[in-house]
Amino acid sequence: STALQAEYAVSLLRSRFYTRVAELHRVELQMAYENQKKQIISQLNDYYEGQVIAGEPSYQQTFMTEIERTGVEQAINALQAEKAAVEADLVQLVGEVPALGELGQREKEWNGELVSLYPVKLASRSIDVADAQVELADSKYLPNFGISGVYKIRESGENDSFEGDDWFSAQVSMTVPLWASKNQRPKLDAAKSGKRSAELGYREALRTWQ
């Protein structure tokens, strides 16, 4: 379960990285578009100002182009701020702002199965962990068994003073945890509750990703 969480974390970081790369590419395209608009508006403004100097009534057009140029400059400022934020996030992720032209990406194919998604996998593993915890808590109720044996070879003493045969002794023991109902019952109940919660979490993950 921990290894799967690590894989999921790496997957999320890769997703975040390529999302930021796409955002950086989009911001740069938008900035190029806005700068092109700004250049065209400046040319229009110069044209209308020339008409005004020539005595043509073009004050309204000059005023409108100034408003449009202000809007474009505001858009460029907003895009520059967004670009700075995206670049800062990329530096935090990989230590630098990558060159977009040199970056390749391999698409990850999805087979369409919900159970292959990381959140659903993790929810399924949570059930396995909860099962193990129930088994562990339940095992505390079982008695402990023990067996021991002793084999003795009789040795005759001086002048055969110790007579007798070899012998074997076995002992079986069983310890019953009489305290289990008070000590272990809450732990077992908690483990079973944890399993039910894990099962609900798994079904919720399936519904969410469906």
Side-chain angles (χ1 to χ4, degrees):
S1 181
T2 303
L4 191 62
Q5 287 176 341
E7 289 179 22
Y8 187 30
V10 172
S11 178
L12 288 174
L13 286 171
R14 289 179 61 85
S15 172
R16 180 177 164 189
F17 171 74
Y18 282 110
T19 299
R20 292 295 181 269
V21 167
E23 289 174 347
L24 181 60
H25 182 59
R26 185 260 306 163
V27 167
E28 290 185 348
L29 286 176
Q30 282 187 286
M31 286 183 66
Y33 173 66
E34 294 296 334
N35 280 315
Q36 186 179 15
K37 282 173 61 178
K38 183 178 179 181
Q39 183 179 1
I40 293 172
I41 289 171
S42 294
Q43 291 173 352
L44 279 173
N45 190 63
D46 290 344
Y47 170 74
Y48 290 132
E49 284 182 351
Q51 284 194 324
V52 170
I53 293 173
E56 296 291 333
S58 300
Y59 293 105
Q60 181 69 21
Q61 289 88 340
T62 303
F63 178 71
M64 291 303 298
T65 54
E66 286 293 341
I67 293 176
E68 290 179 1
R69 180 158 54 186
T70 300
V72 169
E73 288 175 347
Q74 289 175 345
I76 291 174
N77 289 336
L79 288 168
Q80 287 175 337
E82 187 177 359
K83 181 181 179 181
V86 172
E87 289 179 338
D89 206 14
L90 283 168
V91 170
Q92 184 183 25
L93 281 168
V94 294
E96 63 180 1
V97 178
L100 299 182
E102 301 173 0
L103 202 63
Q105 180 184 1
R106 185 178 62 188
E107 293 289 340
K108 186 174 183 179
E109 297 294 333
W110 179 46
N111 60 12
E113 296 289 336
L114 290 175
V115 293
S116 68
L117 299 176
Y118 278 115
V120 179
K121 281 184 180 180
L122 282 168
S124 177
R125 294 289 173 85
S126 295
I127 296 177
D128 296 336
V129 173
D131 269 330
Q133 290 172 340
V134 170
E135 290 180 11
L136 179 61
D138 195 38
S139 69
K140 300 297 184 180
Y141 277 91
L142 301 177
N144 294 322
F145 294 94
I147 185 170
S148 61
V150 177
Y151 178 64
K152 179 65 177 177
I153 300 176
R154 302 288 291 186
E155 297 180 358
S156 298
E158 189 177 355
N159 300 321
D160 295 328
S161 57
F162 301 112
E163 296 182 354
D165 299 324
D166 298 342
W167 55 272
F168 176 78
S169 174
Q171 179 180 0
V172 177
S173 63
M174 180 179 70
T175 303
V176 180
L178 300 176
W179 43 265
S181 60
K182 292 183 179 179
N183 184 279
Q184 288 302 121
R185 171 57 64 180
K187 296 179 181 178
L188 180 59
D189 290 343
K192 289 180 177 178
S193 176
K195 181 181 177 180
R196 288 192 296 269
S197 178
E199 290 170 343
L200 288 172
Y202 177 72
R203 290 196 290 270
E204 178 65 22
L206 283 174
R207 284 194 299 269
T208 299
W209 288 94
Q210 179 71 52

